[in-house]
């Protein structure tokens, strides 16, 4: 134990050097270099029934044009004011009303659009229009013009997953508005999927970026793949039947800054405890169940969103056959050699 006199001496020292913007590492080392991840991110569940009515209310409060994007941010209760769902990721639920257009812009941040409800709306990315249906994943790679529109007669809701905190951390944000409300839509729905996402590639194809050239991963295909896997049997004890959305050019994550996944849990599936260093956002597509995250348990159903912080054990239980979408910063951690998992051999 340090005596009072030495404590005062060290405090005086630290106060003195503080005036020159210097800080003793010995006061900070324990919180900076932790034996394992220690996150401000908390496990949390957002029920769709709490979001939908208030977002619809915003649908009458302001137009998509006024808002630019009519979105409710899912803000982690452990990081109030930070617009983050995990320390590295952003999540929001976006609404576009029939007849509306969310005007064209482009930015350094990349986005996943995971469709929750509605039909007849689209996202157009660098000329390619992708119509939205429940369970579809649509990419907005960074730096590409994009606008959203609703040509149908139903309000359309989707989950926006963006790498906003990563870009913020790196101080690399640029954004620009288009001179027109929409940019030019010259490519048909499904074009990039046909060219790049069907096990074939155009002759002499040269990728222009490290992002997937496929703009939409339709749910009917994803679901069919998971069902085929289920029929073959042998689920992974931690994940059930789980696939990652990849860039067909290199087999890596479809978007370099975020990984996205879809998994099927058979009815009654009780997963083994699992933890990994990538805090993960889940969106329930089908079925009801519950997840034990650390020492909390959350009951979920279709369209609910929940977050599992880094290095927290998670165990899912499926009441029915369940389909879960998820995304995380796993691709970033992989690229940097930081990612770790623990398949629960406790
Ligand atoms: O649709 O471009 O949720 O720029 C946040 C920022 C959506 C979008 C968000 C955005 C967008």
């Amino acid at each position: 134990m340090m005596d009072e006199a030495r404590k005062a001496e060290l405090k005086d020292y630290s106060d003195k050097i503080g005036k020159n913007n210097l800080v003793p590492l010995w006061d900070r080392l324990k919180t900076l270099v932790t034996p394992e991840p220690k996150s401000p991110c908390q496990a949390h569940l957002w029920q769709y029934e709490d979001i939908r009515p208030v977002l619809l209310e915003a649908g009458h409060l302001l137009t998509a044009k006024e808002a630019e994007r009519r979105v409710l941010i899912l803000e982690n209760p452990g990081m109030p004011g930070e617009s983050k769902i995990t320390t590295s990721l952003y999540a929001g639920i976006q609404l576009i009303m029939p007849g509306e257009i969310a005007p064209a812009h482009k930015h350094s941040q990349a986005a996943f659009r995971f469709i929750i409800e509605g039909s007849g709306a689209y996202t157009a990315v660098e000329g390619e229009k992708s119509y939205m249906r429940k369970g579809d994943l649509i990419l907005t790679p960074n730096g590409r013009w994009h606008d959203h529109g609703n040509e149908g007669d139903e309000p359309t809701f989707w989950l926006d997953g963006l790498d906003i905190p990563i870009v913020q951390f790196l101080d690399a944000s640029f954004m620009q508005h288009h001179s027109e409300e929409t940019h030019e839509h010259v490519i048909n729905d499904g074009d990039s999927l046909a060219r790049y996402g069907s096990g074939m590639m155009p002759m002499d194809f040269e990728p222009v970026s490290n992002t997937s050239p496929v703009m939409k991963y339709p749910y009917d295909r994803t679901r069919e793949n998971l069902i085929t896997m289920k029929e073959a049997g042998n689920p992974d004890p931690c994940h059930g039947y789980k696939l990652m959305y990849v860039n067909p050019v290199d087999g890596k994550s479809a978007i370099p800054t975020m990984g996205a996944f879809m998994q099927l849990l058979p009815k009654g599936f009780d997963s083994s405890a699992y933890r990994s260093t990538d805090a993960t956002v889940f969106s329930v597509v089908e079925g009801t169940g519950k997840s034990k995250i650390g020492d909390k348990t959350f009951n979920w159903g279709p369209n609910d969103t929940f977050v599992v912080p880094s290095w927290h054990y998670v165990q899912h239980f499926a009441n029915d056959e369940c389909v879960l979408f998820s995304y995380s910063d796993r691709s970033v951690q992989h690229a940097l050699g930081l990612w770790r998992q623990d398949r629960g051999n406790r």
Side-chain angles (χ1 to χ4, degrees):
M1 270 308 287
M2 217 182 273
D3 65 42
E4 290 305 314
R6 283 210 61 219
K7 258 195 211 161
E9 193 181 9
L10 286 167
K11 169 83 168 53
D12 287 348
Y13 172 81
S14 122
D15 290 348
K16 179 176 75 182
I17 68 168
K19 296 187 181 101
N20 293 325
N21 306 300
L22 296 167
V23 176
L25 174 62
W26 55 88
D27 286 347
R28 301 273 176 92
L29 189 56
K30 276 202 182 82
T31 53
L32 292 176
V33 183
T34 58
E36 54 179 62
K38 234 177 129 45
S39 181
C41 178
Q42 292 175 12
H44 193 74
L45 167 80
W46 288 261
Q47 287 185 309
Y48 189 56
E49 66 183 42
D50 293 330
I51 298 174
R52 193 185 189 280
V54 290
L55 185 48
L56 261 184
E57 195 182 321
H60 303 290
L61 271 179
L62 77 181
T63 64
K65 195 173 172 176
E66 284 169 334
E68 185 158 349
R69 298 293 185 259
R70 187 193 291 108
V71 179
L72 297 181
I73 300 171
L74 309 187
E75 188 170 73
N76 194 283
M79 295 177 283
E82 294 193 36
S83 310
K84 297 173 176 181
I85 189 159
T86 72
T87 51
S88 63
L89 296 170
Y90 161 101
I93 308 287
Q94 183 158 175
L95 163 65
I96 186 152
M97 299 291 275
E100 283 191 321
I101 288 173
H105 68 197
K106 63 178 178 180
H107 40 67
S108 314
Q109 293 81 358
F112 287 129
R113 323 286 175 187
F114 185 68
I115 317 310
I116 290 178
E117 182 192 329
S119 65
Y122 65 84
T123 288
V125 177
E126 209 73 14
E128 181 168 341
K129 219 166 167 179
S130 295
Y131 284 92
M132 299 172 160
R133 291 217 307 237
K134 182 170 172 59
D136 291 350
L137 183 72
I138 301 176
L139 310 188
T140 310
N142 63 9
R144 315 245 179 121
W145 291 117
H146 58 283
D147 44 75
H148 317 297
N150 191 344
E151 297 171 355
D153 48 22
E154 298 168 8
T156 297
F157 298 84
W158 67 85
L159 171 68
D160 276 325
L162 282 88
D163 55 8
I164 290 174
I166 296 175
V167 177
Q168 187 178 39
F169 173 72
L170 298 170
D171 271 338
S173 175
F174 293 92
M175 98 86 81
Q176 221 181 312
H177 292 105
H178 201 276
S179 54
E180 308 287 326
E181 193 166 51
T182 60
H183 72 294
E184 243 192 326
H185 304 161
V186 290
I187 307 168
N188 291 334
D189 190 13
D191 187 275
S192 61
L193 180 67
R195 286 175 203 268
Y196 313 104
S198 303
M200 302 176 92
M201 282 281 169
M203 299 296 285
D204 303 319
F205 172 64
E206 296 282 352
V208 294
S209 79
N210 57 354
T211 283
S212 172
V214 178
M215 288 302 112
K216 179 165 73 174
Y217 296 72
Y219 186 48
D220 51 2
R221 286 202 187 188
T222 310
R223 191 174 196 287
E224 200 177 307
N225 295 336
L226 292 170
I227 296 288
T228 302
M229 286 167 66
K230 185 191 82 172
E231 280 164 3
N234 197 24
D236 179 278
C238 299
H239 305 305
Y241 302 95
K242 188 167 186 176
L243 293 169
M244 172 171 132
Y245 291 89
V246 299
N247 175 350
V249 177
D250 59 12
K252 293 183 179 169
S253 178
I255 282 190
T257 48
M258 297 183 282
F261 311 87
M262 191 80 104
Q263 73 200 100
L264 183 150
L265 306 175
K267 183 180 163 76
F269 192 75
D270 194 354
S271 76
S272 297
Y274 176 83
R275 62 180 175 172
S276 59
T277 50
D278 53 322
T280 304
V281 181
F282 287 85
S283 176
V284 182
V285 191
E286 296 181 41
T288 64
K290 62 181 182 212
S291 298
K292 184 166 181 273
I293 308 170
D295 53 10
K296 296 183 199 159
T297 298
F298 299 92
N299 289 293
W300 40 255
N303 307 332
D304 292 346
T305 312
F306 61 94
V307 59
V308 179
S310 167
W311 216 237
H312 282 48
Y313 278 108
V314 60
Q315 258 177 300
H316 305 296
F317 181 79
N319 298 337
D320 324 298
E321 180 170 279
C322 292
V323 182
L324 303 177
F325 170 77
S326 57
Y327 69 101
S328 77
D329 64 11
R330 182 178 299 206
S331 52
V332 176
Q333 296 199 30
H334 252 307
L336 302 179
L338 291 169
W339 184 72
R340 277 206 212 181
Q341 66 175 348
D342 165 4
R343 291 178 53 85
N345 312 312
R346 288 192 277 182

